[in-house]
Amino acid sequence: MTANANATRVLVLNSGSSSLKYQLLDMADGARLAVGLVERIGEDTSRLAHTPLATGGTKREITERIADHTAALNAVAAELAADGLGLDSPELAAIGHRVVHGGSEFTEPTLVTDEVLAHIERLVPVAPLHNPANITGIRTAQALRPDLPQVAVFDTAFHTTMPEHAARYAIDTATADAHMVRRYGFHGTSHAYVSRETAKLLGKDPSEVNVIVLHLGNGASASAVRGGRCVDTSMGLTPLEGLVMGTRSGDIDPAVIFHLSRNAGMSTDEIDSLLNKKSGLIGLCGDNDMREIRRRIDEGDERAKLAFDVYVHRLKKYIGAYYAVLGKVDAVAFTAGVGENAAPVREAAVAGLEELGLAVDAELNAQRGDAARLISPEYARVAVAVVPTDEELEIATQAYALVSA
Ligand code: ADP
């Protein structure tokens, strides 16, 4: 599909409601040519931070009002052009877009057409915060380079292999179907990448291994991956379900919502905001950064300790649940900001699971590094690994594979 055989670059765009993250990658060798971020779009204090890795340049920052996503992408394009990496380059093969919700239908990276955009739009009711921003990002990129393939890579796609009994909630089927209520799961690009990299670390083909992936960032999710295919995941209709997160509650009794509505007089929007923005670690102790929580624990702070313990208890429950779902587990992989950096979380989550074949070697766990690595002792039946995620590389790889096929 690519007209120019020298077109090996992919621009990856991750559009949020007020932010635009981007990376320019060269798929000939996987090199990152430029990375950056525009934040606070639409505010007076917008900021663009751009690092031209290809030229070895240092980070440049612009702080001035950037009115909307079109202005943001134009500003990014100008920064890239200043480094000789302009979006008009014939070397650009595609723009890959992270799209949060692809429903049940989008199971693969997909070339954006008007019909595809309309479909992503129809999913807005189940992803009201994310899909509109993603659509804006795609339209903006289309306007800038109408001739270039735009590829949508969905957070939900990897999870579409879940069996129906894992995806279906036990509520009235007609109501569920009429309103698209089912488990979709998110962070799929990360779960796909990390489960594959874990197999690689074990020297095996993904089809040969069963992996529990724990993506612990500010948002957090677990998945059970059997032979390279997702069979269960902790996030649901929205990213609210499952693990304790930075600001989200994860699993709670749904009746908490009725209770707060009836007895605390809270509106639906207030409860939504409570559970998504004021819960999880921040709700429990006032901080959502694991570094700060650890610092407070070291100073003897009881609230921080309880927040940590609630976080780890939930994590351990999911390891146990997915162990049972998979029957046999070859590896547990920790990834994302907390998973890659917080050794105490990894240690505590696995503590006491020796009978399941799980253990962490204290020395290996304490070591830092950017590469995927094992942290379990030789004798452990199940490998425990730290596997850095790279969603941008995965999006670029998938987009490039599609357009160069
Ligand atoms: P997201 O992409 O979901 O915004 P990240 O995967 O970047 O999040 O993870 C961010 C979180 O990672 C931070 O909120 C913090 O809790 C945690 N984190 C980052 N660095 C460290 C560290 N060195 N030690 C412990 N936790 C860390």
Side-chain angles (χ1 to χ4, degrees), residues 21 215-219 288-291 336-338 341-342 368:
K21 290 188 203 150
H215 176 112
L216 312 177
N218 200 26
N288 63 335
D289 191 311
M290 195 51 82
R291 285 164 289 201
V338 175
N341 296 296
R368 303 191 65 86

Side-chain angles (χ1 to χ4, degrees), residues 209-213 223-232 318-332 382:
V209 293
N210 292 350
V211 186
I212 297 173
V213 178
S223 70
V225 183
R226 174 180 288 133
R229 292 164 68 85
C230 177
V231 293
D232 204 353
Y318 269 91
I319 293 174
Y322 288 172
Y323 205 118
V325 165
L326 290 169
K328 174 178 175 293
V329 178
D330 297 286
V332 174
V382 179

Side-chain angles (χ1 to χ4, degrees), residues 12 32 61 194 196 262 275 277 283 354:
V12 176
R32 241 167 277 260
E61 290 196 8
V194 170
R196 256 194 285 113
R262 292 180 187 130
L275 297 180
K277 299 188 180 145
E354 291 81 6

Side-chain angles (χ1 to χ4, degrees), residues 67-82:
D68 52 27
H69 281 75
T70 307
L73 191 57
N74 279 324
V76 170
E79 290 304 311
L80 288 167

Side-chain angles (χ1 to χ4, degrees), residues 252-276:
I252 57 161
D253 179 346
V256 169
I257 296 162
F258 323 137
H259 175 75
L260 291 176
S261 167
R262 292 180 187 130
N263 297 298
M266 292 174 76
S267 69
T268 306
D269 284 348
E270 283 168 341
I271 300 173
D272 188 329
S273 165
L274 173 81
L275 297 180
N276 274 295

Side-chain angles (χ1 to χ4, degrees), residues 293-313:
I293 291 170
R294 290 303 310 173
R295 197 190 57 72
R296 284 173 53 187
I297 293 173
D298 288 344
E299 287 175 353
D301 187 317
E302 290 295 328
R303 274 180 71 208
K305 174 77 170 64
L306 180 61
F308 182 86
D309 289 348
V310 173
Y311 184 95
V312 166
H313 179 66

